[in-house]
Amino acid sequence: MAMPSSQLPEAEAAGDQAATQGTRVTRRTLLGRGAAGALGSGLALTALQTWAAQEAGAEVLLRQGGVAALFRHALAPGTFDPPGFRLGDCSTQRNLNDEGRAQARRIGEWFQTRQLRPEKVLSSPWCRCIDSATLAFGAPQVWTALGSPRGYSETTGESHLRELRQALAAASAHNGRFEVWFSHMFVQSDLARDSTSSGDALILRAPRGGDVQVLAKLSVTGST
């Protein structure tokens, strides 16, 4: 489960330092390099244990229900959308690349292997979110409130945030069931004051009348 920043393991701090020195630290990298990897056997083992613990904690929460997994869409290289993009016309948008499509499939495989079936799969109207959801779970229900901010604004509209909070509170009241949402980094940040890498999720709960809580992070794609 997610831990306060003051209790993050030394491996994460070391990983951050390595990243600033040009080393890309991911679970897939560590698995590939093994104990003799460039980051050292202790760091590799501790980082893998941390990821395993996070996955296990997220799985427990999903089985208990009363949560929503808010995914950032899978990898779609670039920033924002081209000028003149149009919803409903994927050729005008920034889309998933091959690695992004592979990430989305891995999300679905992770849930399927564990027989975790969401009650709902909801997606932003943007093609990269719809495609992520479809490759993972099948055709989602498109929900405007999960959409990316228009233009170059980095703020999710207050009316959409209100909808998201209300829907999360409703989902949080359903023990034994969970929802999966596909959206954007800015939406994650504005709703939960936290965000993830492409293809990863925040496990969220919002008791009715309470604040949005980040209970765990789920990373099953090996994204950076």
Side-chain angles (χ1 to χ4, degrees):
M1 299 176 66
M3 295 175 288
S5 58
S6 61
Q7 298 178 10
L8 287 172
E10 292 181 0
E12 293 191 13
D16 289 342
Q17 181 179 6
T20 63
Q21 296 172 353
T23 304
R24 300 175 68 187
V25 183
T26 73
R27 177 176 53 184
R28 294 172 70 195
T29 300
L30 291 171
L31 284 169
R33 292 178 178 175
L39 298 176
S41 59
L43 171 59
L45 180 60
T46 305
L48 287 170
Q49 289 172 335
T50 299
W51 269 309
Q54 289 173 341
E55 274 191 33
E59 181 179 346
V60 168
L61 289 165
L62 292 166
R63 291 195 186 283
Q64 291 174 343
V67 296
L70 176 57
F71 278 90
R72 179 178 174 183
H73 61 76
L75 188 62
T79 306
F80 300 106
D81 287 287
F85 86 97
R86 298 184 302 277
L87 291 179
D89 185 349
C90 296
S91 68
T92 68
Q93 299 180 31
R94 178 165 60 91
N95 295 299
L96 304 183
N97 63 359
D98 288 344
E99 175 58 20
R101 288 186 285 272
Q103 283 181 344
R105 294 187 185 97
R106 289 197 294 272
I107 292 169
E109 290 166 1
W110 188 89
F111 279 81
Q112 186 175 25
T113 297
R114 289 157 180 78
Q115 297 185 336
L116 289 167
R117 297 180 177 85
E119 181 182 23
K120 295 180 182 178
V121 178
L122 306 174
S123 172
S124 157
W126 269 248
C127 292
R128 53 188 175 271
C129 294
I130 295 174
D131 290 347
S132 298
T134 300
L135 288 167
F137 297 101
Q141 177 183 338
V142 176
W143 186 20
T144 303
L146 288 170
S148 179
R150 291 280 187 160
Y152 290 89
S153 169
E154 298 183 5
T155 302
T156 305
E158 184 56 41
S159 62
H160 284 178
L161 283 175
R162 186 162 51 249
E163 285 186 60
L164 293 171
R165 293 188 190 105
Q166 290 171 348
L168 182 57
S172 299
H174 294 162
N175 291 331
R177 293 179 286 177
F178 68 91
E179 298 182 7
V180 170
W181 302 353
F182 284 85
S183 190
H184 309 260
M185 179 186 68
F186 295 139
V187 177
Q188 286 183 329
S189 181
D190 288 336
L191 178 63
R193 299 293 183 264
D194 204 346
S195 62
T196 70
S197 298
S198 298
D200 294 346
L202 302 172
I203 308 300
L204 303 180
R205 177 176 292 153
R208 194 168 297 278
D211 294 333
V212 174
Q213 301 170 356
V214 179
L215 304 180
K217 289 187 178 181
L218 177 61
S219 176
V220 300
T221 64
S223 59
T224 56

